[in-house]
Amino acid sequence: MKTEIIKIHTKKPEKSTIRKAASLIKRGKIVAFPTETVYGLGANALDARAVKRIFNAKGRPADNPLIVHISDGTMLHLIAKEIPSHAFLLMEKFWPGPLTIVLKKKNSIPSVVTAGGDTIAVRMPDHPVAYALIKEAGVPIAAPSANASTRPSPTTAAHVIEDMNGKTPLILDGGKTHIGIESTVLDLTTRTPALLRKGKITLSEIEKIIGSVVPHTEKKNGRIKSPGQKYRHYAPKAKLILVSGGVRAVRRVMREYTASRIFVITFFEKKERYSEAFRTFVFGRKNDTDIAGKNFFSLLRRCDRGGADIIIVEEPPKNGVGDALIDRISRAASRKI
Ligand code: TXA
Ligand code: MG
């Protein structure tokens, strides 16, 4: 299959391009498109055969359910039922935006989307291209991140082509995504809502609206709550080490690996401090977690392309998206210091 990449205006997406992409979706094909978090690989959520193409293209295990993206309330009621009142409070506050809500599913949704489960993850993305595509297709769009399974999530069309060349007919290139870390996932089907994946929207922001939430739970009664969380994620080819404790701690770890190609990802702006490193990348301005979140997955891919043996990442502060970022770095890491 030949993969076409079409540049698209992020604020005012060209109608003809949107029509072309939507027509592929309506015909049961897949399309990669930008959202405000990361690029998604989308298919008509009501078409089981189309959704299977996503799993094939990504090499994604069939037991890992997908997020369904909607553009309006009608689509919400088409796919979800028994929606609790606090769900509407959250939608009011955070939609469109990087919050995914897990609800009871309706029968209209084929079981391949939800990995056989009776719940469905839903989100309304805050991106004109994603919005226009869903609206023009006229159907909810199931879309995981557009990376190959276990690779870092794509934040540019170039990342998507690295993983998906020949596997999707179309990639809409809307430039670099704004947030760079995947959406927060919140389960509202349990008595007390539970945070399944950290993201830009934090636990405390959610609790301000709906009261107490069970913090990030990997397992409940021995059962994995969010299947996606059990797989090794965002794995770079190199060994990744997360280091807290600043410059001195980073330098100490570097001395352990003198013979290797060491790449350092840091907040420290005077890179000369790490002159022994093969390369040093700076996350962004000191302690700006938003910029670090935006750059992290992209930096991981650059380290891989540069042939890194070891990637040392300086731990970001916890504020804002920082907590979610630390979660993603930890999942990619083979060692934490
Ligand atoms: O920001 C995002 O959420 C991006 C963009 C494209 O929207 N999408 C994304 O999708 O990150 P994906 O498939 O890479 O991650 C979806 C996560 C997985 O951890 C999956 O297990 C979880 O959501 N999930 C999906 N449906 C679920 C459900 N019914 N119950 C619990 N967890 C669910
Ligand atoms: Mg993903």
Side-chain angles (χ1 to χ4, degrees), residues 88-101:
F88 292 104
L89 295 177
L90 291 169
M91 293 170 200
E92 178 98 344
K93 174 77 182 168
F94 298 113
W95 279 7
L99 176 68
T100 296
I101 297 174

Side-chain angles (χ1 to χ4, degrees), residues 240 242 296 315 325-334 336:
L240 189 146
L242 172 62
F296 177 64
E315 186 171 285
L325 179 57
I326 293 169
D327 166 79
R328 303 306 192 275
I329 303 170
S330 303
R331 284 171 200 286
S334 38
K336 291 176 218 167

